[in-house]
Amino acid sequence: MDRTTVDRRRKAHQLYAVTTPIGLRYPAWLQEVIEPIPADVHPLTVEALMTEPAEETDGRSPLSWLASGGPAALVVALVRELAWLP
């Protein structure tokens, strides 16, 4: 994802960024988790996936899992399952 796309998506509230004294910072796992999201999946479906507790992430939301340093690979696997939704 190029810088222009990232900035546009951040401004549209489609990407997570943290403002720090030295500028915006994006989590290291961001691109790894976002890239496999199917283009035809509704953003609210992605939001629900990322904020609802999941068995695969020890009963925590995938977002909480990632924020606490959990491996992104577990969340990527959940995201890839979105491709199977009707």
Side-chain angles (χ1 to χ4, degrees):
M1 200 176 332
D2 65 50
R3 186 178 183 147
T4 303
T5 302
V6 168
D7 193 50
R8 180 178 43 78
R9 291 182 73 178
R10 179 190 53 81
K11 288 177 181 176
H13 304 285
Q14 297 173 335
L15 289 181
Y16 175 75
V18 177
T19 302
T20 71
I22 58 171
L24 290 171
R25 294 291 175 249
Y26 297 92
W29 47 260
L30 185 65
Q31 187 164 348
E32 184 179 354
V33 171
I34 288 177
E35 280 186 356
I37 296 173
D40 61 343
V41 173
H42 195 280
L44 291 177
T45 301
V46 176
E47 180 181 13
L49 172 78
M50 295 300 291
T51 59
E52 294 294 322
E55 185 178 313
E56 296 85 350
T57 51
D58 293 337
R60 293 185 287 175
S61 72
L63 188 56
S64 173
W65 172 263
L66 291 166
S68 69
L74 291 176
V75 177
V76 170
L78 292 173
V79 168
R80 287 195 172 122
E81 289 178 13
L82 291 173
W84 297 98
L85 290 177

